[in-house]
Amino acid sequence: MVSSLSQLSFFFFFLFTTLCNSQPYLQLPLLHIHPSPTPTQALSSDSLRLSLLHSRRRRRSAASPVVSGASTGSGQYFVHLRLGSPPQPLLLVADTGSDLVWLRCSACKSCSRRLPGSAFLARHSSTFSPFHCYDSACSLVPGPDPNPCNHTGLHSPCRYSYSYSDGSTTAGFFSREATTLNTSSGAPAKLSDLAFGCGFDVSGPSLTGPNFGGAQGVMGLGRGPISFASQLGRRFGNTFSYCLLDYTLSPPPTSYLRIGVPKSDVVSKLSYTRLLLNPLSPTFYYIGIKSVSVNGVKLPVRSSVWALDKNGDGGTVIDSGTTLTFLPEQAYRLILTAFKRSLKQVASPAEPTPGFDLCVNVSGLGRARLPRLSFALVGGSVFAPPPRNYFIETMDRVECLAIQPVDSGSGFSVIGNLMQQGFLFEFDKDRSRLGFSRHGCALQ
């Protein structure tokens, strides 16, 4: 494993030496494309839980725009990159809940009938190279069978098969390729080799339906060694951050994914909580919730409801690849009851939109009067998102609670990207902590 990580770090040497002369961190635009007129068909669907995964010195930094996918009916955030020589433009979902960077690939030669950008054309690149099945990097990805070299031939490529919780899969060759990123400064940053999955077989609702928003793949930002954040992170302090700006604004604002830490006083304003590690699901960024309150009143939820147990069940994950927030059944029911009691005094109920348990007519009612939710976290910090982060407009003047229940005994809680909007989140893997603040997004 160590030698494989060293190889991957060496692959990015050209990128780092280039960026160190121009900017102290990598900044990539995050694109959030606005919801369609009927977002509930996408946003109430569990298929948007894209990333609920398959199986068990002086710091510099690097930023890229992140864009919302709501205008296509998707609740995802996207990152642009250009892959290959010559570069081919592609769009990837930014996902902290998975490790693999992968793209839909095509082996066709002429591709005269294929729409530009619908897939990465491996044969059109002079720098595309699959890892060999005996390469140490091949052991970093799950394969279709226990023996990665059971295929005949001296040049057998490394085959991978990566699955998501709803059964969606991507399979193909684990490869390396020259990559160009569009940074916020306008100057492209070139990576000499990016380890990624070249997917020739992609299936399942999370990866092929309208919720995928026209993306060609996923940029895994998880804690594993093959994630985009890990491949770049060793030279940038093993830290990355992002802001997911409000998807309801039009035109959609641009926020950024930053690899590394810029010199800014925003860091001093961050609140921190410890990142927990689940050995059975090492990909995920777990945080510890101690309690939940509605309008400042602590709800009677047992601490065991939030706990990560010895079997790897339970706990709470911060996930940019999931849209809605999923909380344990017991906590969810108490929140629902408290919200209904609070709203009974200020708003009239609305017919529930399919997929949501609570909807209210907000005609004449400002969002400031909606119930206030807050989470007390391990370490003493409090995460208190505004109501727009957990109420979503499903039709004109009708707001629905964008939180869903999950069985505490068989799943884990998820703080989705809707709940994260408007906060700066900093993932510090060396110190194993998550920083967050309502300040700093405008500075990106």
Side-chain angles (χ1 to χ4, degrees), residues 43 45 54 92 106 206 258 265 343 350 354 375:
L43 297 182
S45 171
H54 59 297
L92 280 71
S106 174
S206 289
R258 281 178 166 162
D265 63 354
L343 288 166
F375 299 91

Side-chain angles (χ1 to χ4, degrees), residues 57-300:
R57 82 205 156 255
R58 198 172 99 177
R59 293 187 178 179
R60 301 237 174 220
S61 62
S64 176
V66 181
V67 177
S68 161
S71 67
T72 62
S74 169
Q76 305 294 355
Y77 287 79
F78 303 111
V79 178
H80 280 296
L81 62 74
R82 288 178 289 167
L83 197 70
S85 303
Q88 301 175 36
L90 299 157
L91 189 67
L92 280 71
V93 172
D95 182 22
T96 59
S98 63
D99 291 329
L100 182 68
V101 180
W102 68 267
L103 294 160
R104 183 186 299 275
C105 285
S106 174
C108 66
K109 293 182 178 179
S110 61
C111 299
S112 58
R113 296 182 180 180
R114 184 175 294 276
L115 293 175
S118 61
F120 174 63
L121 307 180
R123 292 188 177 182
H124 289 206
S125 173
S126 62
T127 49
F128 173 76
S129 175
F131 285 104
H132 191 274
C133 63
Y134 285 116
D135 196 299
S136 57
C138 193
S139 65
L140 300 177
V141 290
D145 49 61
N147 181 7
C149 285
N150 68 345
H151 301 279
T152 59
L154 296 177
H155 303 288
S156 182
C158 175
R159 299 174 185 269
Y160 79 92
S161 181
Y162 203 76
S163 303
Y164 295 87
S165 63
D166 68 341
S168 297
T169 62
T170 169
F173 298 152
F174 191 47
S175 311
R176 49 191 166 195
E177 180 60 280
T179 309
T180 305
L181 299 165
N182 295 321
T183 66
S184 60
S185 66
K190 188 171 183 179
L191 291 70
S192 58
D193 280 280
L194 174 70
F196 77 105
C198 192
F200 294 101
D201 183 8
V202 180
S203 63
S206 289
L207 308 182
T208 60
N211 291 334
F212 207 50
Q216 288 80 48
V218 172
M219 179 182 282
L221 294 167
R223 303 177 82 167
I226 60 172
S227 80
F228 186 82
S230 295
Q231 289 189 54
L232 274 71
R234 297 185 71 187
R235 295 295 184 100
F236 292 89
N238 277 326
T239 300
F240 72 94
S241 63
Y242 59 68
C243 283
L244 307 180
L245 296 182
D246 190 349
Y247 79 95
T248 63
L249 299 179
S250 183
T254 298
S255 48
Y256 293 93
L257 166 67
R258 281 178 166 162
I259 309 296
V261 182
K263 294 180 179 179
S264 170
D265 63 354
V266 174
V267 175
S268 65
K269 300 176 182 178
L270 294 178
S271 298
Y272 290 97
T273 188
R274 185 158 47 96
L275 285 172
L276 309 178
L277 181 63
N278 181 355
L280 299 180
S281 297
T283 291
F284 300 133
Y285 297 98
Y286 283 88
I287 60 171
I289 294 179
K290 297 176 63 177
S291 64
V292 61
S293 300
V294 173
N295 292 333
V297 178
K298 182 179 174 180
L299 301 183

